[in-house]
Amino acid sequence: MKKQSENITAWDKTESNAELKLPAFFHFSPVRKYIMFWLIIALPFFGEIFHYLNSVKPLWAFSKLMPVLSLPLIFHLRGYSLFPISRQVIFTFTWLLLSPTIASIFYFHEGFFTAITAQVKILPILYFFSFLSFLLILKPKLYEIEKSFIILGLTTTIILLCFWLTIPNSWYQEHYVVGSAPFFSSDNRGHRIRMQMYFAIIALFFFYRRGFAEKRVIYFLSAAAIFFVTLLLVKTRAMIIGCTGVLLPNTIVWVPPFVRIVVAGVAPFALVGMFSTGYLASTFSTSASSGIDVRRSTAQLAIHFLGEHPFKWIFGVGTLSPTSTDTLMKYFHHFFFLADITWLGIVFEYGLFGASLIIAFQLRGLIFFKTINKIVSDDFLGALRDYLLYVLIISIFYPPTLTPGETAVILSIFAYVWYAGSLDKLSFSTE
């Protein structure tokens, strides 16, 4: 991470822009209220905040319909040249849509139109195009996009705190149907609030970067507040592992050399202590209460079904649609949720080739960020890059196919910044 004098951020770019002659897109300026309004209204749906929040039916239903409702926005792209990443997104979406659909016709005897409905979960990949179109129509500056994300991240944190302070114990459900996830639940971790933390975690990464850039305690305190709200109220182990997996390497890279040695030496002991207390101690538990038996049985059934057929392993076997008259649990005569076995579940459904496309979807964002970062260094864009890394880390626990719109939105912002900031031209002028 560069020093503040060299770092071009969305909070203070005036002098740096004058030196590098960056377009007005990167300039610090007062936000436009109407642009902020539309960004704050649209971003929660593009970011899939309500996608699994079925306790709020209208917002949940609208979120499910959003990939289709936003499709007409794509026609706006007809007047533009092909954007970076576009070809990869088109190929990835087409393959992930059709390959498991065709496979399930052969292996599960599904009809084509029934089988294709099983892939509605990957429709948010198209947010790359629809959200990109939305940005091109709205024409926000980078600072306005950044501020919208931060406002939504802080709002998420505040709402969580309000729920924690006001919701009575009777609202927390101790017993619920297998496969469901109530918003307020109670289990061996205690009371939990299953809030989607997309914007909050990006805000956490942003504040942490700003804290190192400006050496101001307020940013570190803001990052710590979001982290501890996630740790103590949401209580999702994967989130804590993902945040730690991003923040710790960043810390080691950004601190002075002497401190770096100390941090690297202390970090393993701190991590052992952290994951040896409270509900985090059950992260790598193999007891029956952890659900490891169900996952092990599911994995064994999946591996047995794939067998020794290379074609199945390479291209996958698809899955049963929620609209089908049968279910995987009835088909395998056992609890069988592909999400429980994460990457094995992805290989089961999409094959090794499909899994590689999903990984490449994240990696392309990381590579494209490096290209952008060579021209303009911005802490908000860096926070988006951190989130892509976070998605890869937590994919051990949660498959990226559950919320592909999160990555699609980040990639569309990178593409928009490349276009609106004229970075393709700046890349030649700075060489």
Side-chain angles (χ1 to χ4, degrees):
M1 187 175 184
K2 300 177 183 178
K3 294 180 180 179
Q4 177 61 17
S5 59
E6 300 172 346
N7 191 38
I8 304 166
T9 70
W11 289 81
D12 186 5
K13 301 190 182 77
T14 309
E15 293 182 5
S16 299
N17 282 339
E19 294 174 4
L20 294 181
K21 298 179 181 179
L22 288 174
F25 173 76
F26 295 103
H27 292 184
F28 173 83
S29 60
V31 298
R32 293 163 289 180
K33 291 182 180 179
Y34 74 95
I35 286 182
M36 292 295 297
F37 172 81
W38 286 113
L39 282 172
I40 290 172
I41 291 295
L43 273 170
F45 294 101
F46 281 111
E48 299 187 85
I49 291 298
F50 306 108
H51 218 63
Y52 296 100
L53 192 60
N54 56 11
S55 56
V56 187
K57 293 292 184 184
L59 296 177
W60 170 80
F62 190 81
S63 181
K64 292 291 187 181
L65 291 171
M66 188 66 175
V68 176
L69 295 176
S70 61
L71 274 179
L73 288 171
I74 295 177
F75 289 108
H76 183 72
L77 295 177
R78 289 181 300 174
Y80 295 87
S81 301
L82 199 64
F83 284 85
I85 315 178
S86 295
R87 291 187 183 90
Q88 180 176 341
V89 174
I90 292 170
F91 180 78
T92 299
F93 174 76
T94 304
W95 184 272
L96 296 182
L97 179 70
L98 296 180
S99 178
T101 297
I102 295 170
S104 63
I105 294 173
F106 290 98
Y107 298 114
F108 294 108
H109 311 294
E110 293 270 73
F112 178 81
F113 293 104
T114 301
I116 205 168
T117 59
Q119 302 309 320
V120 294
K121 59 182 175 289
I122 68 162
L123 284 177
I125 289 177
L126 295 176
Y127 284 162
F128 174 82
F129 297 108
S130 54
F131 188 67
L132 177 58
S133 297
F134 177 77
L135 292 175
L136 291 168
I137 293 168
L138 198 61
K139 292 181 172 61
K141 294 182 179 180
L142 181 58
Y143 178 64
E144 291 167 326
I145 301 173
E146 172 192 299
K147 194 165 186 180
S148 300
F149 268 78
I150 302 309
I151 288 173
L152 288 169
L154 292 175
T155 301
T156 301
T157 306
I158 292 169
I159 290 173
L160 269 169
L161 287 170
C162 290
F163 282 151
W164 177 64
L165 291 171
T166 60
I167 295 300
N169 290 338
S170 59
W171 284 34
Y172 292 88
Q173 299 181 40
E174 295 184 9
H175 307 286
Y176 44 88
V177 179
V178 175
S180 67
F183 189 62
F184 301 104
S185 66
S186 183
D187 52 29
N188 56 358
R189 308 179 207 183
H191 288 349
R192 299 178 60 198
I193 305 174
R194 297 176 186 269
M195 180 74 82
Q196 292 293 104
M197 298 294 284
Y198 179 54
F199 297 104
I201 290 174
I202 289 174
L204 186 161
F205 294 151
F206 172 79
F207 287 134
Y208 200 67
R209 282 177 170 266
R210 296 302 304 134
F212 275 96
E214 291 197 359
K215 306 290 190 294
R216 291 179 62 183
V217 176
I218 186 63
Y219 291 120
F220 287 116
L221 291 177
S222 300
I226 298 173
F227 182 84
F228 282 108
V229 164
T230 306
L231 175 69
L232 301 175
L233 302 187
V234 183
K235 296 183 179 179
T236 300
R237 292 178 291 244
M239 288 185 182
I240 302 304
I241 291 172
C243 290
T244 305
V246 172
L247 296 178
L248 183 57
N250 282 351
T251 303
I252 293 173
V253 171
W254 295 336
V255 295
F258 173 74
V259 181
R260 187 177 305 158
I261 296 172
V262 175
V263 172
V266 172
F269 300 99
L271 290 174
V272 170
M274 179 178 174
F275 287 97
S276 300
T277 57
Y279 70 88
L280 291 177
S282 63
T283 300
F284 307 104
S285 172
T286 56
S287 65
S289 61
S290 68
I292 189 67
D293 292 337
V294 175
R295 290 182 175 86
R296 184 187 295 113
S297 298
T298 302
Q300 289 171 347
L301 289 169
I303 292 171
H304 178 73
F305 189 81
L306 293 174
E308 298 180 358
H309 305 283
F311 202 82
K312 287 184 177 181
W313 282 95
I314 294 170
F315 299 108
V317 297
T319 186
L320 287 169
S321 167
T323 63
S324 178
T325 55
D326 210 345
T327 66
L328 288 174
M329 284 196 293
K330 290 182 179 178
Y331 193 93
F332 287 99
H333 308 292
H334 189 276
F335 288 119
F336 195 93
F337 299 104
L338 292 177
D340 283 350
I341 52 176
T342 56
W343 280 108
L344 178 57
I346 290 175
V347 171
F348 181 91
E349 187 171 358
Y350 301 101
L352 290 168
F353 185 74
S356 68
L357 291 178
I358 293 167
I359 294 174
F361 192 52
Q362 317 296 328
L363 294 180
R364 182 63 185 276
L366 296 174
I367 294 169
F368 193 39
F369 167 78
K370 288 187 69 175
T371 303
I372 294 173
N373 198 52
K374 290 177 182 177
I375 308 167
V376 54
S377 179
D378 179 89
D379 286 323
F380 171 62
L381 296 178
L384 297 182
R385 170 266 179 196
D386 288 344
Y387 195 85
L388 294 178
L389 182 58
Y390 165 87
V391 170
L392 286 173
I393 294 171
I394 68 168
S395 67
I396 302 169
F397 303 93
Y398 289 102
T401 49
L402 289 179
T403 51
E406 295 180 347
T407 296
V409 165
I410 291 174
L411 297 187
S412 69
I413 292 174
F414 287 168
Y416 175 70
V417 169
W418 185 260
Y419 170 80
S422 302
L423 297 188
D424 54 337
K425 299 174 184 177
L426 284 172
S427 63
F428 292 110
S429 64
T430 55
E431 289 179 354

